[in-house]
Amino acid sequence: MELYEGGCDLKLLETLEGHGDRVWSLAWNPATGASGTPLVFASCSGDKTVRIWEHTPSPSATWTCKAILEDTHTRTVRSCAWSPSGKLLATASFDATTAIWENVGGDYECVSTLEGHENEVKSVSWNSSGTLLATCGRDKSVWIWEMQPGNEFECVSVLQGHTQDVKMVQWHPTTDVLFSCSYDNTIKVWADDDDDWQCVQTLGEPNNGHSSTVWALSFNASGDKMVTCSDDLTLKIWETDNVQMHSGDGYAPWRHICTLTGYHDRTIFSVHWSSEGIIASGAADDAIRFFVGNKDGLVDGPTYKLLLKKEKAHDMDINSVQWSPGEKRLLASASDDGVIKIWELVSSSTGNGY
């Protein structure tokens, strides 16, 4: 990407306070940020609440907390995810439930509560069409829920396969294939064969996988590459055959293409791949790093280089980094320090967004 020839800087736009405990996770509403719709994101915390934040367009260009979703979860809210339409928000909690919230004219109502996990629910994810929801938890299971009329959800499968706490679930961006990563050091890939969900691939240490807990994963825009982050202090890049994946011609397996090692010295908790190919990572060393594909090294396959490292981005562990939808290169980060920060990645030659 020629954009980075002049180097770039990470500009802090705003620091958002309000949560009374660590902030675990962030989710941008995918239906915002375009055609005049102000950007909106949700944050969730150890304070048992979810906050909805909205960008007020210029001149003030500030962020305001539009709603606090409380009195529903009785313990930490660990994860939140918007449906593709942006109308529903799912929140996963240590109280063993997942709540579904609907935005009714600016008021958020809890319209459904999903129960079934034995204990802490760690992550929640919607598929690309908004018809399926996945949850995972400390009970080592992954649940798939199907959305029914009237905001009802029916559990269609309970997937047992991980041997430890499941940290994250994430649907593939274009196909109904589900990915989960775990304290058992593996990533599992789940697919539906005639309404029978099963594990079709396990990415573990024997096939160049991670050697410690896998905390998170993210896909590139076209869905043919995936990045994973781990307690083993590495990021790993995986790829699949996009043509085979969409041809219906059997399962297209994923393979490891490279490992980014030597950049992090503490656990990497979060990774997110932007729509234009910039990987952001958030870690226990309180820093945010950015990586981009290196066009020079195509002889030995793709390589990635460090674009920028922002030291002391927060005062404590960074739990979540998420790129915004919309035109600008905005990134939100959430931390154990209880605050959320909104950043913009700008060209250092101009000081502006590109």
Side-chain angles (χ1 to χ4, degrees):
M1 287 186 196
E2 306 68 35
L3 300 167
Y4 312 110
E5 294 312 311
C8 56
D9 291 320
L10 191 63
K11 189 165 79 175
L12 177 62
L13 300 183
E14 198 151 351
T15 299
L16 304 178
E17 297 178 344
H19 279 298
D21 200 331
R22 69 183 61 179
V23 188
W24 276 113
S25 176
L26 300 163
W28 293 90
N29 185 322
T32 65
S35 62
T37 313
L39 280 166
V40 170
F41 71 90
S43 61
C44 59
S45 165
D47 67 8
K48 310 175 195 172
T49 73
V50 177
R51 284 177 173 255
I52 310 292
W53 306 85
E54 185 175 293
H55 186 243
T56 314
S58 45
S60 56
T62 58
W63 289 85
T64 49
C65 179
K66 300 297 276 191
I68 302 173
L69 284 45
E70 54 192 349
D71 302 329
T72 293
H73 289 300
T74 57
R75 291 185 62 195
T76 288
V77 187
R78 180 64 179 84
S79 170
C80 53
W82 296 92
S83 63
S85 68
K87 290 184 169 55
L88 297 175
L89 178 70
T91 58
S93 170
F94 285 3
D95 66 13
T97 72
T98 301
I100 309 295
W101 306 81
E102 185 175 12
N103 181 358
V104 185
D107 286 327
Y108 288 82
E109 297 174 10
C110 180
V111 293
S112 195
T113 304
L114 282 45
E115 297 177 347
H117 282 283
E118 290 170 27
N119 43 39
E120 290 92 331
V121 190
K122 296 294 182 79
S123 174
V124 59
S125 175
W126 298 86
N127 72 339
S128 58
S129 61
T131 55
L132 296 171
L133 192 71
T135 57
C136 65
R138 192 163 71 86
D139 62 9
K140 309 173 191 173
S141 70
V142 172
W143 290 52
I144 296 178
W145 310 80
E146 191 171 50
M147 182 144 180
Q148 310 288 338
N151 291 325
E152 294 290 320
F153 289 81
E154 180 191 354
C155 175
V156 292
S157 196
V158 177
L159 307 173
Q160 309 283 359
H162 284 294
T163 57
Q164 297 286 343
D165 183 2
V166 188
K167 296 294 186 188
M168 185 183 197
V169 279
Q170 185 72 41
W171 289 95
H172 186 269
T174 58
T175 63
D176 282 345
V177 175
L178 180 66
F179 293 70
S180 59
C181 54
S182 167
Y183 189 69
D184 67 12
N185 310 349
T186 71
I187 300 123
K188 286 188 179 286
V189 191
W190 310 87
D192 174 13
D193 183 22
D194 288 334
D195 279 344
D196 181 24
W197 286 88
Q198 47 197 322
C199 180
V200 290
Q201 192 175 7
T202 299
L203 305 173
E205 210 167 352
N207 40 10
N208 297 308
H210 291 288
S211 58
S212 190
T213 302
V214 188
W215 278 96
L217 62 99
S218 178
F219 296 95
N220 67 347
S222 55
D224 63 342
K225 289 191 178 66
M226 168 175 70
V227 59
T228 55
C229 67
S230 169
D231 186 51
D232 68 9
L233 314 184
T234 71
L235 298 174
K236 288 181 182 281
I237 312 283
W238 310 79
E239 74 174 355
T240 190
D241 183 333
N242 235 348
V243 177
Q244 184 189 343
M245 181 168 55
H246 287 98
S247 66
D249 186 23
Y251 171 71
W254 289 77
R255 64 182 189 91
H256 170 268
I257 52 171
C258 68
T259 297
L260 282 64
T261 185
Y263 297 104
H264 301 82
D265 43 25
R266 300 279 302 277
T267 301
I268 312 160
F269 290 122
S270 180
V271 65
H272 196 216
W273 210 323
S274 80
S275 58
E276 50 180 8
I278 309 169
I279 296 170
S281 71
D285 63 1
D286 316 340
I288 299 174
R289 292 168 180 81
F290 298 90
F291 300 89
V292 286
N294 203 349
K295 293 290 189 287
D296 312 335
L298 291 177
V299 185
D300 308 317
T303 58
Y304 290 77
K305 63 182 178 187
L306 182 69
L307 175 66
L308 180 69
K309 177 183 177 185
K310 181 70 176 179
E311 302 262 18
K312 297 189 174 59
H314 282 270
D315 294 335
M316 295 169 77
D317 292 9
I318 296 171
N319 296 315
S320 184
V321 286
Q322 295 290 315
W323 293 102
S324 75
E327 296 305 299
K328 285 193 160 180
R329 275 195 193 90
L330 299 182
L331 183 88
S333 59
S335 165
D336 279 1
D337 64 15
V339 305
I340 298 149
K341 293 189 179 183
I342 309 293
W343 310 84
E344 186 177 7
L345 191 63
V346 296
S347 158
S348 50
S349 51
T350 63
N352 298 320
Y354 304 109

